[in-house]
Amino acid sequence: MASKLFVGNLPRSVADNALAEFVTNAGFNVASAVVIRDKMTGDSKGFGFVELAEGEDLQRAIAGLNGQALEGRPLTV
């Protein structure tokens, strides 16, 4: 069963692919990554969701990613 993580405090400049790449570089297999955007302006709302691939340990991912800096901002996972 795949696991979905909430990722908060994202820099406004981060796109879906950059979020996926960041989590992949941290050692996790990513099935999908989505940065939530304002429907009217298209601007990032500063949070998103990352779906981990089958077999990934959710607790290990949370521990490994929470507090990590992305473009100078500590993430909340």
Side-chain angles (χ1 to χ4, degrees):
M1 182 173 161
S3 304
K4 193 173 277 193
L5 297 172
F6 167 85
V7 182
N9 201 34
L10 288 173
R12 303 285 186 208
S13 61
V14 171
D16 297 350
N17 60 344
L19 178 57
E21 183 178 325
F22 178 80
V23 176
T24 299
N25 289 341
F28 302 98
N29 293 320
V30 174
S32 67
V34 177
V35 175
I36 305 303
R37 302 196 168 277
D38 183 278
K39 290 180 183 180
M40 299 297 281
T41 65
D43 294 338
S44 169
K45 289 192 171 186
F47 69 94
F49 296 94
V50 174
E51 185 176 2
L52 299 177
E54 290 286 330
E56 285 289 350
D57 182 357
L58 183 63
Q59 293 304 318
R60 185 176 74 85
I62 292 170
L65 293 170
N66 191 48
Q68 293 296 314
L70 177 58
E71 295 183 15
R73 295 184 68 156
L75 300 179
T76 302
V77 180

